[in-house]
Amino acid sequence: MTTKQSDQTLIRVEDLQMHFKKGQIKALDGVSLEIQKGEVLVIIGPSGSGKSTLLRCLNRLEVPTGGHIYVDNVDITNPKVEIHAYRQKRGMVFQHFHLFPNMTVLRNMTLAPMKLLKKSKQEAEEQALKLLDRVGLKNRADAYPSQLSGGQKQRIAIVRALCMNPEIMLFDEPTSALDPEMVGEVLEVMRELAKEGMTMAVVTHEMGFAREVGSRIIFMSEGKIVEEAPPKVFFENPRSDRAKEFLSKVL
Amino acid sequence: MILLVSDTMEAWLNSAPDWMLNLPQWAYDICYDFFKSFIFDQRYLNILTGLQNTLLLTFFALLVGLALGIIVSLVRVSWDKETKNRPWGIGKFFMGLANAVCKVYLTVIRGTPVVVQIMIIFFVIMANSNNKMLAGVLAFGINSGAYVAEIIRGGIMSIEEGQFEAGRSLGFGYVSTMVHIILPQAFKAVLPTLVNEFIVLLKETAVAGYVGLIDLTRAGNIIRGVSYVDFMPLLGVAVIYLVMVMFFTWLMGRLERRLRNSDH
């Protein structure tokens, strides 16, 4: 994505604040950014820097204490806005998967399309099986989450979100809870997704993934965006001392 | 009709088979007590009436308790998890009010003995009515509802926050997240505790006699009064309670196993 037009903007964040304890703790301290259609925004930074909070605010799983998030020119931080319709169009993937343990894989994937998009069972299952096939888990459709490995669970969580045909996928440290040998299979799915043009916002510690797949890196520290650059620039030539220090530790 | 002790003796001697009359003294006494308690004058009918009333009372109190418990727990959970954080408005006002009422209900009902509650309902609140069964169903239902509410609330709270977030990030609203995702898991989690509450309820109805309702315990007591035998009627009543509890425990064990089959 070299040229960006304003009508390509999916989400516009303005001066987002997240304060606790009457402003003593600032999880987010004036964050502004735009997410364009088709880009893979990778948010990195030390733990406690507010990356996850930012991502969760985009879906209003956290309600920011200040600032605005515009989607289609509607400020979704306004508590009067019915957030459910917006959430349907955002897939979210969590660190700990959060599959529904009492449902089969297939049921996990078809529940929301059937209840919210009013798809028929057959239609929803067809789509789910197609997606399962893509991530190589078609044979586990009738398994329960407890019978799956961590990597399989996360791949299911990703396709469960995709079943709602989201216009953007939010990933909140999707590989952090996985055993090392399972990280690859999940990143592979994400890589494929990016290749197909899915808009993604990814909070991760996987620097290889960030460098290879990301179209833009946002480096956060202490609730602020310290640096924002294409991955090549950021990893080879970080400007801020904070980013240099961070990279020297993780690379 | 006045029954004399000699009438009882005469009937016993007429109806008992010979081998029973020739038993050793202790066995003979047991048989004679049994005859006096249950057979003579069709006294077992008392037990049947009492058993029927106990089962009816427990069943309807269970329904009332479950309904109340589900409503109260949902009000409490919804307030704590959701409404509390919303901006003030008419909806929040009524939810806050409902939440306060529920809290008072839980405190008062769990803080006073059920015997006192059933007497207040029958002798004070329903002073103009003589419907003992209705008083019993209300008293035990309202009482059980408080415990069921806390059991279900505990079950809902035990479901990890991530399940709510997963549901809501898929686009489910608060209510549909509850209905489709949280409650099915919560019910499964609390089923053993709910069964326990049901068993407690079944046995607790034994105090219904305080308002004159002829339940199983009261029936045993009535027989005790007319037969002058203490041990046999009480033993009979105890055995019937025990068999019922064992039966329901077994039944629920099967149900639980079936539910567990679905999640491994």
Side-chain angles (χ1 to χ4, degrees):
Chain A
M1 300 290 292
T2 44
T3 55
K4 286 168 196 166
Q5 292 160 5
S6 59
D7 64 336
Q8 288 286 302
T9 303
L10 275 183
I11 301 178
R12 187 155 51 87
V13 179
E14 269 180 20
D15 193 31
L16 209 59
Q17 311 274 347
M18 186 69 160
H19 294 182
F20 300 106
K21 296 190 178 170
K22 293 175 182 165
Q24 285 173 23
I25 300 172
K26 295 177 178 173
L28 292 177
D29 189 9
V31 171
S32 299
L33 62 92
E34 285 185 0
I35 301 178
Q36 313 291 333
K37 209 173 267 179
E39 78 170 326
V40 178
L41 180 71
V42 181
I43 306 167
I44 59 177
S47 59
S49 60
K51 340 179 266 301
S52 283
T53 309
L54 171 62
L55 198 77
R56 289 162 61 80
C57 280
L58 296 180
N59 217 357
R60 215 168 88 187
L61 286 178
E62 310 268 0
V63 182
T65 50
H68 307 281
I69 299 170
Y70 294 99
V71 177
D72 303 332
N73 288 318
V74 178
D75 183 0
I76 62 164
T77 59
N78 184 340
K80 292 212 170 72
V81 170
E82 279 297 326
I83 190 74
H84 316 310
Y86 291 94
R87 283 188 184 140
Q88 286 183 22
K89 291 189 245 164
R90 298 193 186 347
M92 180 127 190
V93 177
F94 301 91
Q95 185 177 351
H96 294 286
F97 334 123
H98 300 327
L99 296 179
F100 307 131
N102 55 333
M103 303 176 197
T104 61
V105 165
L106 199 59
R107 183 78 184 136
N108 260 281
M109 296 174 68
T110 55
L111 182 72
M114 282 169 64
K115 302 288 179 197
L116 298 172
L117 305 180
K118 304 292 173 209
K119 285 192 180 179
S120 70
K121 187 172 176 187
Q122 193 194 353
E123 205 182 342
E125 287 187 349
E126 239 166 60
Q127 184 198 19
L129 288 171
K130 215 178 280 173
L131 283 164
L132 279 176
D133 199 24
R134 262 176 52 186
V135 296
L137 288 171
K138 197 171 182 180
N139 57 339
R140 305 315 308 271
D142 295 320
Y144 284 88
S146 59
Q147 299 168 308
L148 303 173
S149 72
Q152 291 175 329
K153 281 184 200 171
Q154 196 61 298
R155 281 186 281 161
I156 300 293
I158 292 171
V159 285
R160 176 177 72 175
L162 288 176
C163 278
M164 292 296 286
N165 304 316
E167 53 189 23
I168 177 171
M169 288 284 288
L170 310 173
F171 292 85
D172 189 2
E173 304 200 22
T175 56
S176 298
L178 297 177
D179 292 338
E181 77 266 26
M182 293 173 181
V183 169
E185 63 193 65
V186 171
L187 291 182
E188 185 51 39
V189 170
M190 293 169 64
R191 205 171 281 133
E192 285 293 315
L193 210 52
K195 223 180 273 171
E196 285 160 24
M198 173 62 76
T199 313
M200 294 161 64
V202 187
V203 171
T204 187
H205 294 291
E206 293 295 327
M207 294 305 145
F209 176 84
R211 188 197 293 239
E212 180 199 340
V213 182
S215 41
R216 189 155 55 109
I217 305 286
I218 281 182
F219 175 73
M220 289 184 70
S221 176
E222 289 166 5
K224 290 189 174 82
I225 294 180
V226 177
E227 205 160 328
E228 185 177 345
K232 206 168 156 53
V233 178
F234 177 79
F235 284 104
E236 282 164 20
N237 213 350
R239 279 167 290 135
S240 65
D241 292 341
R242 194 72 194 79
K244 279 178 198 158
E245 187 196 333
F246 177 75
L247 287 176
S248 73
K249 279 180 189 158
V250 297
L251 289 182
Chain B
M1 175 169 64
I2 297 166
L3 293 164
L4 301 171
V5 175
S6 55
D7 294 337
T8 324
M9 179 60 89
E10 199 184 320
W12 162 246
L13 292 174
N14 284 338
S15 56
D18 281 345
W19 63 266
M20 208 178 260
L21 298 174
N22 295 327
L23 287 169
Q25 188 65 39
W26 62 270
Y28 175 90
D29 285 346
I30 290 176
C31 291
Y32 187 34
D33 278 358
F34 188 88
F35 176 79
K36 279 190 286 186
S37 303
F38 301 120
I39 313 287
F40 182 62
D41 202 24
Q42 294 187 307
R43 282 172 182 158
Y44 65 90
L45 289 177
N46 285 301
I47 297 283
L48 288 185
T49 311
L51 179 60
Q52 188 190 6
N53 282 340
T54 289
L55 287 173
L56 277 176
L57 183 58
T58 308
F59 177 72
F60 286 108
L62 180 76
L63 292 188
V64 172
L66 271 179
L68 260 177
I70 290 171
I71 293 168
V72 170
S73 62
L74 287 179
V75 169
R76 294 275 299 108
V77 168
S78 302
W79 175 261
D80 284 352
K81 272 188 119 61
E82 175 76 8
T83 328
K84 198 164 69 179
N85 306 317
R86 289 217 178 141
W88 274 102
I90 190 90
K92 183 172 179 178
F93 173 77
F94 280 112
M95 271 303 284
L97 197 66
N99 182 54
V101 170
C102 289
K103 272 184 156 172
V104 172
Y105 162 73
L106 293 174
T107 309
V108 171
I109 294 300
R110 293 195 302 160
T112 53
V114 67
V115 188
V116 178
Q117 288 163 17
I118 190 173
M119 288 199 288
I120 289 178
I121 287 184
F122 184 70
F123 293 117
V124 182
I125 298 172
M126 289 177 53
N128 296 322
S129 161
N130 195 32
N131 193 336
K132 291 161 185 161
M133 183 54 87
L134 181 64
V137 166
L138 285 179
F140 290 110
I142 291 171
N143 183 273
S144 181
Y147 293 93
V148 170
E150 287 300 89
I151 290 169
I152 295 179
R153 192 171 74 94
I156 295 172
M157 295 310 233
S158 75
I159 306 298
E160 54 165 345
E161 190 60 29
Q163 292 290 312
F164 284 90
E165 291 188 349
R168 303 179 83 177
S169 69
L170 283 170
F172 285 104
Y174 175 76
V175 175
S176 45
T177 304
M178 270 290 174
V179 171
H180 296 304
I181 294 158
I182 305 301
L183 289 182
Q185 295 183 50
F187 268 111
K188 208 151 98 180
V190 300
L191 194 66
T193 330
L194 274 183
V195 173
N196 190 49
E197 168 59 23
F198 167 67
I199 287 170
V200 169
L201 175 67
L202 175 68
K203 290 181 293 169
E204 243 177 13
T205 58
V207 298
Y210 269 82
V211 296
L213 181 70
I214 300 184
D215 73 313
L216 184 56
T217 306
R218 173 77 184 225
N221 243 353
I222 289 173
I223 292 174
R224 217 160 56 84
V226 293
S227 67
Y228 305 109
V229 180
D230 287 329
F231 180 58
M232 195 55 79
L234 292 177
L235 180 72
V237 165
V239 166
I240 293 172
Y241 276 116
L242 182 64
V243 169
M244 283 196 292
V245 169
M246 285 168 66
F247 172 71
F248 286 121
T249 310
W250 171 80
L251 201 67
M252 290 302 172
R254 281 185 52 138
L255 180 65
E256 261 175 56
R257 266 196 301 282
R258 264 185 58 185
L259 278 175
R260 213 174 306 134
N261 279 345
S262 73
D263 70 354
H264 306 271

